[in-house]
Amino acid sequence: MDTAAKSAPGAASATRAADLAPHELRVLVAVDSERGFSAAAKALGLTQSAVSHSIRGTERKVGAVLFERGRKGATPTAAGAAAAAHARRVLRLLDTLAAEARGAERGTVAGPLRIAAFRSVALYLLPPVLERLTARHPGIEPEVRVVRELGAGTAGEVAQGRADLGIATIGATSPVPAGLIGDVLIEEPYSLVHPAGHPDPRSLPLVDWHENCGSYTRTWWAGQDWIPKATVLTEDDGAVLSMVSRGLGMAIMPALSLNGAPDGIEITDLGPERPSRSVGYVTTPEQAATVAVRALIRELRAAEGGAGSEARLR
């Protein structure tokens, strides 16, 4: 590790983090994203020495070592990961400042709107919402990234400053992460999905996928002695539906995933005690105050019935 970086936290000449300039934040984000000074320099059109000098200066101002330097590149420390997330959010707010100032002058809303969503939301919930949003605000440019709802998931994209708003699985067992705000939009009931006309679908092997269930319905699943351990585990819900339609098993799936289900599938209600999954939006307090995010939330809340016949919008 370079000695200048080691001395950063205790440097007597350390200045305040408030003195960080936008170009220093961009360098910080680039090194975090590229995991190396050379790669970051190439991405930014700078020299490696300029990037290294900028990071050393940032470490002095922050008062913490942000990257471990090594042969394999630059690995963010815990402080570095936190700083990079804040840097992305600050840079995004600077972009928003300019966009909203121009919009206030012209009476319009314009610019990119970054949305993170998991697959079924991106396929079935968002398209009609974004259609209405862009019809009302033609200057808004939605950018949708499909993110697997595993680990930090879509909420993590928001927390890291990579998305302005995420559509996430939230609720009593999966609260909105600390530092973010949000609310539930949809309660998705789960149903039994099986080959049409099968005389005893509960006897079939279980087909499942990595994102399904999680903590949302774990208690219910644990109490169902008829649900076997999955014999087939796929990457997404579309693959599950395809396999069930071919008679390879049954599945237990939430409502959004059942939109556009292929021929050969039958959907059976699991009764009044069926589990459900709560889907909602998460954003940062700063982005929640922006015109574009507020407009998107309004359209999401107005989308009653737009999530499919089984999903109930709140």
Side-chain angles (χ1 to χ4, degrees):
M1 181 186 300
D2 114 4
T3 55
K6 283 184 177 179
S7 65
S13 61
T15 54
R16 297 183 306 153
D19 294 329
L20 285 169
H23 75 269
E24 292 175 297
L25 300 182
R26 293 188 184 93
V27 171
L28 168 59
V29 167
V31 175
D32 179 69
S33 299
E34 301 294 337
R35 291 296 193 265
F37 285 25
S38 296
K42 184 176 181 180
L44 294 170
L46 300 173
T47 64
Q48 181 175 337
S49 62
V51 169
S52 181
H53 177 76
S54 178
I55 292 298
R56 284 197 298 270
T58 298
E59 288 177 323
R60 284 193 297 271
K61 293 176 182 180
V62 171
V65 176
L66 303 181
F67 295 96
E68 297 284 355
R69 284 80 157 168
R71 292 181 179 178
K72 295 184 178 180
T75 303
T77 62
H86 283 293
R88 287 189 187 92
R89 287 163 64 167
V90 170
L91 290 170
R92 179 61 178 147
L93 285 176
L94 290 175
D95 290 340
T96 302
L97 180 155
E100 294 207 351
R102 292 191 299 268
E105 182 179 61
R106 302 168 185 169
T108 60
V109 183
L113 176 59
R114 307 172 307 161
I115 305 163
F118 55 92
R119 181 184 176 276
S120 58
V121 163
L123 284 174
Y124 305 115
L125 175 63
L126 277 180
V129 168
L130 297 182
E131 182 180 27
R132 290 190 298 272
L133 177 70
T134 53
R136 294 179 189 272
H137 307 285
I140 291 181
E141 303 165 4
E143 300 174 358
V144 179
R145 291 182 60 238
V146 176
V147 176
R148 298 184 71 189
E149 192 66 340
L150 296 171
T154 56
E157 295 295 294
V158 175
Q160 288 294 317
R162 297 187 179 95
D164 304 322
L165 180 142
I167 308 295
T169 47
I170 59 176
T173 58
S174 299
V176 175
L180 303 181
I181 61 175
D183 197 9
V184 173
L185 295 165
I186 302 168
E187 294 289 352
E188 286 188 280
Y190 279 77
S191 299
L192 175 63
V193 185
H194 55 89
H198 194 282
D200 187 13
R202 295 192 177 202
S203 68
L204 291 169
L206 179 67
V207 182
D208 208 352
W209 81 100
H210 291 290
E211 290 177 284
N212 195 21
C213 187
S215 62
Y216 322 114
T217 57
R218 189 174 294 138
T219 301
W220 183 87
W221 280 58
Q224 308 302 308
D225 56 11
W226 61 273
I227 302 179
K229 183 177 179 179
T231 54
V232 178
L233 189 62
T234 73
E235 289 299 313
D236 63 57
D237 47 357
V240 172
L241 288 173
S242 179
M243 291 186 178
V244 171
S245 72
R246 296 288 182 174
L248 297 176
M250 57 89 171
I252 300 168
M253 306 183 74
L256 276 178
S257 293
L258 299 178
N259 281 276
D263 293 338
I265 278 183
E266 190 172 331
I267 300 170
T268 300
D269 194 311
L270 287 168
E273 300 302 320
R274 64 188 180 185
S276 64
R277 179 172 72 171
S278 300
V279 177
Y281 71 88
V282 293
T283 186
T284 65
E286 305 88 5
Q287 287 296 333
T290 64
V291 175
V293 169
R294 291 204 313 269
L296 174 57
I297 292 172
R298 281 196 297 270
E299 294 300 337
L300 286 167
R301 291 194 177 285
E304 186 166 5
S309 58
E310 294 295 329
R312 181 167 53 83
L313 292 177
R314 290 164 40 138

